[in-house]
Amino acid sequence: EHRGWVIELPSHQLTYLNPAINTIFGFSASDFYNDPSLWTKQQHPDDAAYVLGLETAVLEQGFYDAEYRIRHANGEVRWLHDRSWLVRNEHGEPIRIEGIASDITEQKLAKEALQASEEQYRSLIESSEAAISMVDGDGRYLYLNAICALPFGVPPESLIGKTVQDLFPP
């Protein structure tokens, strides 16, 4: 879901916040208008300094594209993908910052689960006492575990891209 927002410059006053922000933060747009520090309060402590630096980035570079964590009103940690850009007047002076944020929590959790699964699989293959390899359609090694490379006396990585014919010439 996308959530738009606008901050006027130089006052740094929040002048627009999509009312659907409630879905991500568990607070209404009115809550944010009434308490300008609420945005800062809801930043995940490990990401707070990073998020504060994003305003400097947009003022210097004209945009940013960032991922960071926030805390929902119920305490749940959520991930945001936040894109922001600087809007200038006809004289080239910055007049506001606009942005749009998407809740990417589900994608982050899926990616973390996939990485954990891949690490578990890799650990299982690497610790196996069986020689395990994978080749492409041309017979080139894509993967070899340490046991498979042992007879060659080289690290498995050095055999990637070679064929059986390269290793056992006729």
Side-chain angles (χ1 to χ4, degrees):
E1 296 181 34
H2 299 292
R3 307 291 178 244
W5 52 268
V6 176
I7 296 173
E8 296 299 323
L9 297 175
S11 67
H12 297 277
Q13 182 177 353
L14 179 65
T15 57
Y16 175 77
L17 189 58
N18 186 315
I21 194 71
N22 187 292
T23 304
I24 294 176
F25 281 88
F27 292 101
S28 70
S30 296
D31 293 330
F32 286 95
Y33 295 133
N34 293 332
D35 181 0
S37 67
L38 185 57
W39 177 262
T40 304
K41 291 176 188 174
Q42 295 313 118
Q43 299 306 313
H44 189 280
D46 294 343
D47 294 345
Y50 171 70
V51 174
L52 284 175
L54 292 175
E55 184 175 339
T56 302
V58 75
L59 291 172
E60 291 176 357
Q61 301 169 18
F63 70 94
Y64 71 73
D65 188 326
E67 294 180 0
Y68 55 87
R69 293 165 291 179
I70 55 102
R71 291 186 316 239
H72 189 275
N74 67 11
E76 180 181 321
V77 173
R78 307 295 296 170
W79 277 94
L80 296 185
H81 178 205
D82 194 358
R83 287 140 341 258
S84 174
W85 52 94
L86 188 62
V87 177
R88 297 176 184 275
N89 65 16
E90 63 276 359
H91 305 291
E93 300 161 333
I95 58 171
R96 71 179 166 272
I97 301 170
E98 296 180 1
I100 193 161
S102 303
D103 183 338
I104 59 167
T105 304
E106 298 307 317
Q107 294 95 317
K108 280 283 194 182
L109 294 175
K111 184 178 179 181
E112 288 172 7
L114 179 60
Q115 287 173 336
S117 176
E118 287 174 351
E119 287 173 18
Q120 185 179 26
Y121 174 76
R122 185 172 289 112
S123 175
L124 179 64
I125 297 297
E126 287 299 324
S127 64
S128 174
E129 293 183 18
I132 301 172
S133 65
M134 184 177 359
V135 295
D136 66 13
D138 296 324
R140 296 194 182 283
Y141 284 103
L142 300 172
Y143 173 82
L144 300 93
N145 68 353
I147 295 295
C148 193
L150 195 60
F152 303 103
V154 297
E157 303 81 42
S158 67
L159 300 175
I160 302 298
K162 297 188 189 278
T163 65
V164 172
Q165 291 76 18
D166 294 334
L167 302 176
F168 300 102

